[in-house]
Amino acid sequence: MLATYLIGLREGLEATLVVSILIAFLVKADRRDRLVQVWSGVGLAVALSVFFGWLLSYTSTTLLQKYEHRELFEAVTSILAVAFVTWMIFWMRRAARSIAGELRGKLQDALEVGSIAVAVMAFLAVVREGLETSLIFYSAVQGAADNSRPLYALLIGIASAVVIGYLMYATAVRINLSVFFTWTGALLILVAAGILKYGVHDFQEAGVLPGLNNLAYDISGVLDPSAWYTALLTGMFNITPTASVLETVAWAAYGIPVLVLFLWPGRKKAPVVTPDSTPAPAPQQ
């Protein structure tokens, strides 16, 4: 639940910031008449993301009949989720300085084209976050006995992000997003390492990779499988009482270097991104 809450909070805040920037631009430009197109694009992006998440679950539980095929499907989606998480974390750190200006420029171009272009622009700005969230969530909850509680945690994380975004837009509240994205990015790297470990396990279950029973460690005598802290470590970082050599190597080979690269000192900090950090152009006559 903590892992999926973090996913919802991180991805939700990114999407909320995007929507806030678009709305603030239209309000300052005195183009409130185009807000309905922005919300239409956002709504369509959310609907497509929910459908994509359902499709992933339906494919795994209904369309794929053979156990090996289901394991292979889950392994492939896990690898894709890790790739998206890694790309998203580093992209956000790099693009934080220019994302607001780029969004405003694209929206200005869309306003000149027409209402449909505004809706499409808002849709494209949000749908990437939504599809990423669906894929990462699906991969993060593989093996969970009950998917409803992680889903609730994801929704609470998204709701928390919406509240934070609203406070930043409507009040004088300012949050150091550089610190926020640094800490959540580091935690998500560890979550992604756990997803990769689970993906390797699925490949082994499907017979694609060897060494399923070649254990790197067995600490079940120390880490009680039924204890709450074991559930916490397993759910958050996929640290399990037992793991194969290949799973352990994959976790360490990804988690350690990516985390070091992400936290490497000496990089310039990204500025705080706010919805109204630059002025909007004069309204059209």
Side-chain angles (χ1 to χ4, degrees):
M1 291 181 65
L2 285 175
T4 54
Y5 175 82
L6 177 63
I7 292 169
L9 180 64
R10 168 80 186 218
E11 294 283 349
L13 187 55
E14 288 186 22
T16 301
L17 286 173
V18 169
V19 175
S20 299
I21 290 169
L22 298 181
I23 292 175
F25 178 89
L26 291 176
V27 170
K28 281 195 170 187
D30 197 22
R31 297 302 304 271
R32 295 174 182 268
D33 58 307
R34 297 302 188 191
L35 288 177
V36 64
Q37 283 81 31
V38 170
W39 287 116
S40 297
V42 171
L44 183 59
V46 172
L48 180 61
S49 302
V50 172
F51 173 76
F52 179 62
W54 171 84
L55 183 61
L56 289 173
S57 179
Y58 181 75
T59 300
S60 177
T61 58
T62 305
L63 296 183
L64 300 177
Q65 299 297 324
K66 291 185 177 181
Y67 174 78
E68 292 80 5
H69 292 168
R70 291 195 298 269
E71 293 296 317
L72 186 59
F73 177 77
E74 292 174 2
V76 172
T77 55
S78 295
I79 300 302
L80 289 175
V82 171
F84 273 117
V85 168
T86 308
W87 175 81
M88 175 265 294
I89 291 171
F90 284 94
W91 175 85
M92 189 62 189
R93 186 179 65 178
R94 183 180 66 254
R97 292 178 175 275
S98 58
I99 185 173
E102 291 178 1
L103 283 172
R104 294 185 181 96
K106 291 178 181 178
L107 185 56
Q108 178 62 42
D109 294 339
L111 285 171
E112 296 175 358
V113 174
S115 59
I116 295 180
V118 173
V120 171
M121 190 266 169
F123 168 80
L124 294 177
V126 175
V127 73
R128 178 182 63 84
E129 305 292 346
L131 295 179
E132 284 180 3
T133 302
S134 296
L135 179 60
I136 298 168
F137 171 76
Y138 171 80
S139 300
V141 300
Q142 294 304 315
D146 180 11
N147 288 348
S148 60
R149 294 169 66 184
L151 177 60
Y152 295 148
L154 177 76
L155 295 177
I156 294 173
I158 294 174
S160 301
V162 172
V163 171
I164 293 173
Y166 175 78
L167 291 175
M168 293 179 64
Y169 173 80
T171 70
V173 173
R174 290 294 179 264
I175 297 174
N176 190 328
L177 293 179
S178 176
V179 175
F180 173 85
F181 284 126
T182 297
W183 280 102
T184 57
L187 288 174
L188 278 179
I189 288 172
L190 297 178
V191 171
I195 294 175
L196 178 62
K197 176 175 173 287
Y198 194 92
V200 170
H201 179 81
D202 281 339
F203 274 128
Q204 292 178 315
E205 290 277 4
V208 176
L209 293 176
L212 177 61
N213 298 316
N214 186 14
L215 298 182
Y217 61 84
D218 183 354
I219 56 174
S220 55
V222 177
L223 198 62
D224 183 3
S226 62
W228 66 268
Y229 51 83
T230 303
L232 176 64
L233 291 173
T234 301
M236 191 71 180
F237 308 122
N238 201 25
I239 298 176
T240 53
T242 62
S244 69
V245 172
L246 201 54
E247 289 177 67
T248 306
V249 169
W251 196 98
Y254 169 86
I256 295 174
V258 174
L259 190 61
V260 170
L261 182 62
F262 181 74
L263 298 176
W264 193 260
R267 296 181 180 273
K268 292 182 178 180
K269 296 292 185 180
V272 175
V273 181
T274 58
D276 54 352
S277 55
T278 61
Q284 296 179 356
Q285 301 296 327

